Amino acid sequence: MSKESLWLSIVEDIKSCKLCRLSSYRTNAVPGEGPLNASIVFVGEAPGKSEDLAGRPFVGAAGKLLTELLESNGIRREEVFITNVVKCRPPDNRDPFEDEVSACSIHTNKIVELIRPSMIVTLGNHSGRYFFEVLGGIKWYGVKRARGKVYKLRILGNDVVLIPTYHPAAALYNPKVREELEEDFKLIVNTYNELSKPKPTQEKRKTLLDFMK
Ligand code: URA
């Protein structure tokens, strides 16, 4: 099966999913969007009202900030893949419960396995906890403590560079968080550019024949 067909079947599974109570509240499920060969995946928390209506991730106020942080650092939003640990909107925008993150992980994991990114950025505590503790086997002490660093983890059988940061919504009304989020985006983009650089080709080893020419 091609990557595109696999993606369409994941989308269908998510749209018809009833694995947790959130399915009964959704207008639209929000599987995620972006190129299937993206080398970086951003994982947020859960769709809000705008995302539930549009069926697309990060299209509300937090999404505008995410797009701004990417584009002011030279990355187009269209070149990254964006999803959430929970694909349906929790009622009244409450935080997702752990059993909902866990039920949705069947879809989250399939998305990560399909895209096989070299880098994952977790936005906020729910996504950070899932990727660090559940998938990476590393204790999660909260985003405040974990942020600002680059972690190399083995996630679902692949080596991945993981950078945890705040959820953009947390920065909307908090200038200190906004400042730290901006710092983290510089780290994210520098690491991304470093990983995307072609590796210097090794000089070919000379053989005896080269010296006889
Ligand atoms: N917040 C999230 O975590 N995800 C979205 O898609 C929108 C807002």
Side-chain angles (χ1 to χ4, degrees), residues 93-121:
N93 286 354
R94 67 155 168 77
D95 282 2
F97 297 147
E98 244 174 74
D99 68 329
E100 294 160 354
V101 174
S102 169
C104 209
S105 67
I106 186 168
H107 308 303
T108 309
N109 293 2
K110 279 189 191 163
I111 293 173
V112 172
E113 283 167 334
L114 177 74
I115 298 176
R116 305 236 275 128
S118 39
M119 214 176 140
I120 295 176
V121 176

Side-chain angles (χ1 to χ4, degrees), residues 81-100:
F81 195 94
I82 305 175
T83 188
N84 288 299
V85 277
V86 157
K87 319 292 177 292
C88 300
R89 181 192 181 203
D92 304 320
N93 286 354
R94 67 155 168 77
D95 282 2
F97 297 147
E98 244 174 74
D99 68 329
E100 294 160 354

